[in-house]
Amino acid sequence: MVFQFNRTKKASVRSAGFRTPDDLSVSPTPLRRVLLIGSCLVRGFPEWLKDIAPGCKADYILFNNAGQLPSAPPRPIDSYDFQIVLLALRSLMPEQLYFRLPYADIAAHEAALDHAIETLGQLLDGALRWNTENGALTFVANFLTPQQNPMGRLLPRYDIRNPVHFIERLNQALCEEIARRKNVYMLDIDQIVANFGRKYFQDDILLQINHAAGLTDWDFEFDRNRLHKPRRVSEQVELRNAEILMAFWREAIAMFRTVRQSEAVKIVIVDLDDTLWRGLVVEEGSIKFETSEGWPLGFVEALLFLKKRGVLLAIASKNDEAKVMAVWNDIWGGRLFPEDFAIRKINWNPKAGNVTDILSEANLLARNALFIDDNPVERAGVEAALPGIRTLGADPYSLRRILLWSAETQVPFISDESARRTEMVQAQVERDSTRKRMSRDEFLRSLNLRVSITDIASADHAKFPRAFELINKTNQFNTTGRRWTLAEFQQAFAGGMVCHAFEVEDRYSRYGLVGVVCVDGCSVEQYVMSCRVIGLDVELAVL
């Protein structure tokens, strides 16, 4: 059975972006070609992509049951930007097995799950061969969970005999398998279908659970001559296949942008009044604060999630700092602290000047910053003074979704350095303040700088993920600006290249791994260093 694709309508394209907002995207994602491996759900993708992504080509390889990949992909593996793998649930849950499981025999259900997980690992090994051999970036789709427990709504929800929970356990096992592999990430199509509505897409109202695909009118051609001709499925249920399949594709693009750190937002600078809270804290000498409930609290939670990802937070507000600090705890009550913001500029100076100073102190470029302010005049002023900066604030109700779900604010993993970024920038600001009171030589001597170097000659090295992240994110101190794929690194390591990664510590902070020198023979191929240690002569000490 081949899943049929509907032609995409413009309305479907717009709504398909609900999970993947593009408000922070500056330029389109240039894709050359993708490889699709797996079940019939994606067999029609290559033809379908001609309509929605005319610049991107796609190749499809059917892979299910005990099948094997061909000896080589249709084209050289490095010609694909990424591959998408969709394993067939039917290969893990054959009808001959789970149809016949006695409900009372819990042990038999557990044994069936163990067997399915073992088979899953074997299928993944086969489907991910080109990732294992060549490091190809891979997104593996999970399995669709049924819409209801087929045993009945009053039966236990989290019970291995409930196929919903059985498949949830399979998805958990899949996630754990993926976590053990490099350059492989889970494409959560189960959650996407849940977001857009299972009833508009999922075929388990007609087909068996293990088919786990999209609903179509495919069966009707075989039943149109029945004594009592049935109504087409599409006449009984509103099908939104195009919209949801578009959402699958946009999710893959967002994941690709996150892995590549395309147009990453590294700092979010926020106003206070009517932005971080509803109303004005200080007006004509009195406090006129409305409430922190509703959208402001959801917005603040989003900011704190960004901080955990390693995105810096800062404040640029025209206000009386003493009065703001006096009422801060009354507003947020221990949920948000001033110290959560790496840099704070609360004064009566022009916003554009404050934002410029914030970027200077954080050693960041305008193109990596997002400024949020409810005042359109202030946003326009900052945009004029700092070309390339992104701004938001016209619609407070869209901020949380944009901040949390945009590819530009997400990261492929969270390193120790990312988690401590706010602390490190605060230490940097304190360090720079000390610098102004001393001569340069005195200042450098006072820091008690310590540099340690680690040689990385394999992608399996424990510190390679952070080095890989740093090389692909660094803009200012980057001798070539080159962005690497994992496959390119593996090839370079095989040819003898070594990455000398260095970590820095001074009396203010432990900055972690902040630089990488890629050396091939006697040639320095690339040298990158975090802006956090620029100006300390670390780059010379390393050389």
Side-chain angles (χ1 to χ4, degrees):
M1 174 178 175
V2 179
F3 184 79
Q4 300 296 317
F5 285 71
N6 299 334
R7 291 295 181 183
T8 305
K9 298 178 182 178
K10 292 183 178 180
S12 296
V13 173
R14 286 195 298 270
S15 57
F18 174 71
R19 271 180 64 96
T20 51
D22 55 11
D23 304 72
L24 301 180
S25 176
V26 177
S27 55
T29 305
L31 289 177
R32 302 165 299 161
R33 185 176 291 274
V34 298
L35 181 60
L36 307 161
I37 298 172
S39 69
C40 60
L41 179 59
V42 291
R43 187 170 184 175
F45 249 79
E47 189 66 27
W48 184 65
L49 284 179
K50 292 179 182 179
D51 285 346
I52 62 158
C56 178
K57 309 297 183 183
D59 294 320
Y60 169 71
I61 298 174
L62 179 65
F63 181 88
N64 56 22
N65 300 318
Q68 292 185 339
L69 293 179
S71 58
R75 289 166 180 78
I77 194 63
D78 59 5
S79 67
Y80 297 100
D81 292 299
F82 56 84
Q83 57 179 357
I84 298 176
V85 173
L86 291 95
L87 299 178
L89 182 59
R90 204 169 191 170
S91 300
L92 310 178
M93 293 177 60
E95 300 96 282
Q96 295 86 345
L97 173 63
Y98 85 93
F99 274 20
R100 310 305 307 172
L101 287 174
Y103 185 76
D105 194 345
I106 297 178
H109 285 79
E110 291 285 1
L113 177 63
D114 291 341
H115 181 266
I117 292 174
E118 181 181 355
T119 305
L120 172 64
Q122 295 168 354
L123 286 176
L124 271 180
D125 286 339
L128 298 183
R129 194 178 83 216
W130 294 318
N131 164 267
T132 304
E133 294 175 354
N134 306 100
L137 175 61
T138 305
F139 304 139
V140 180
N142 59 359
F143 305 111
L144 299 183
T145 54
Q147 300 187 58
Q148 289 195 35
N149 181 356
M151 290 301 300
R153 59 174 55 88
L154 298 184
L155 274 292
R157 169 65 175 83
Y158 296 100
D159 186 304
I160 193 63
R161 295 168 295 182
N162 176 4
V164 180
H165 187 55
F166 187 101
I167 296 173
E168 286 173 339
R169 295 272 297 273
L170 266 181
N171 279 337
Q172 181 181 348
L174 175 64
C175 188
E176 292 168 356
E177 279 282 346
I178 287 172
R180 289 193 281 269
R181 302 165 190 265
K182 293 185 181 299
N183 220 25
V184 184
Y185 303 91
M186 190 172 78
L187 176 59
D188 196 347
I189 66 171
D190 184 59
Q191 191 175 61
I192 295 171
V193 174
N195 282 160
F196 286 89
R198 296 187 186 278
K199 68 178 182 179
Y200 301 118
F201 181 81
Q202 207 156 327
D203 65 8
D204 64 345
I205 66 168
L206 179 65
L207 303 182
Q208 75 280 8
I209 288 168
N210 68 356
H211 194 260
L215 196 59
T216 71
D217 285 325
W218 182 85
D219 288 86
F220 183 76
E221 295 305 314
F222 301 96
D223 295 315
R224 61 191 312 155
N225 296 321
R226 293 172 64 91
L227 184 62
H228 190 145
K229 186 170 70 174
R231 287 189 299 151
R232 295 176 185 270
V233 170
S234 59
E235 295 172 0
Q236 304 178 45
V237 179
E238 181 187 353
L239 300 183
R240 298 182 182 176
N241 295 338
E243 176 184 24
I244 293 173
L245 291 167
M246 172 64 81
F248 289 176
W249 176 246
R250 288 184 62 113
E251 188 83 4
I253 299 301
M255 293 170 70
F256 177 69
R257 288 178 66 85
T258 297
V259 170
R260 296 287 293 269
Q261 287 293 280
S262 302
E263 301 169 347
V265 170
K266 299 180 181 180
I267 187 169
V268 175
I269 306 167
V270 300
D271 177 39
L272 294 179
D273 291 337
D274 263 343
T275 300
L276 195 64
W277 46 64
R278 182 182 280 115
L280 308 178
V281 165
V282 181
E283 186 176 275
E284 297 178 359
S286 63
I287 297 173
K288 293 189 176 181
F289 175 69
E290 299 286 341
T291 177
S292 63
E293 291 300 318
W295 71 259
L297 189 56
F299 174 54
V300 163
E301 183 189 54
L303 291 176
L304 291 176
F305 274 120
L306 294 193
K307 182 188 173 191
K308 292 176 184 178
R309 295 177 187 174
V311 177
L312 295 173
L313 306 179
I315 294 173
S317 171
K318 287 182 179 178
N319 232 314
D320 185 310
E321 184 170 15
K323 292 180 179 178
V324 167
M325 292 300 111
V327 299
W328 187 284
N329 193 57
D330 294 335
I331 297 171
W332 292 118
R335 294 171 291 192
L336 179 71
F337 296 97
E339 294 74 24
D340 288 316
F341 296 86
I343 304 171
R344 303 188 297 272
K345 301 292 181 184
I346 306 173
N347 51 45
W348 298 106
N349 298 336
K351 290 276 182 73
N354 278 338
V355 172
T356 300
D357 290 345
I358 288 169
L359 294 180
S360 176
E361 291 179 20
N363 260 319
L364 290 173
L365 302 174
R367 71 182 188 220
N368 292 123
L370 170 63
F371 175 60
I372 303 176
D373 195 305
D374 68 296
N375 191 326
V377 175
E378 299 289 9
R379 295 197 302 270
V382 168
E383 289 171 354
L386 294 159
I389 196 169
R390 284 163 278 186
T391 65
L392 293 172
D395 178 14
Y397 300 158
S398 68
L399 290 177
R400 177 181 167 87
R401 183 175 67 91
I402 293 170
L403 289 179
L404 290 181
W405 296 357
S406 294
E408 294 75 19
T409 63
Q410 299 197 11
V411 292
F413 69 95
I414 297 175
S415 63
D416 176 60
E417 289 82 359
S418 298
R420 295 188 299 107
R421 192 156 287 149
T422 295
E423 168 202 330
M424 290 188 285
V425 169
Q426 289 168 339
Q428 177 182 310
V429 171
E430 182 182 354
R431 187 186 70 195
D432 291 345
S433 176
T434 303
R435 185 205 303 256
K436 296 174 183 177
R437 299 193 298 269
M438 300 179 177
S439 70
R440 188 166 190 276
D441 288 343
E442 290 174 329
F443 168 69
L444 290 177
R445 282 196 297 270
S446 75
L447 293 178
N448 190 24
L449 276 164
R450 295 175 295 283
V451 178
S452 58
I453 300 177
T454 301
D455 292 349
I456 300 174
S458 165
D460 294 326
H461 194 286
K463 293 184 179 179
F464 174 75
R466 166 57 183 165
F468 185 54
E469 174 194 45
L470 189 66
I471 289 171
N472 282 342
K473 287 182 70 172
T474 302
N475 293 315
Q476 288 170 282
F477 194 113
N478 187 330
T479 57
T480 68
R482 177 180 176 180
R483 267 46 175 171
W484 294 67
T485 65
L486 177 61
E488 289 170 337
F489 258 120
Q490 290 176 321
Q491 184 176 0
F493 286 143
M497 188 181 79
V498 176
C499 290
H500 304 283
F502 55 93
E503 300 175 61
V504 175
E505 186 175 353
D506 65 17
R507 69 186 180 93
Y508 292 102
S509 181
R510 179 168 59 89
Y511 297 97
L513 199 160
V514 293
V516 183
V517 188
C518 299
V519 177
D520 190 355
C522 296
S523 172
V524 174
E525 296 297 314
Q526 189 170 8
Y527 193 161
V528 305
M529 188 176 75
S530 168
C531 57
R532 293 195 298 276
V533 293
I534 285 178
L536 303 182
D537 288 351
V538 169
E539 65 277 15
L540 302 179
V542 170
L543 285 177

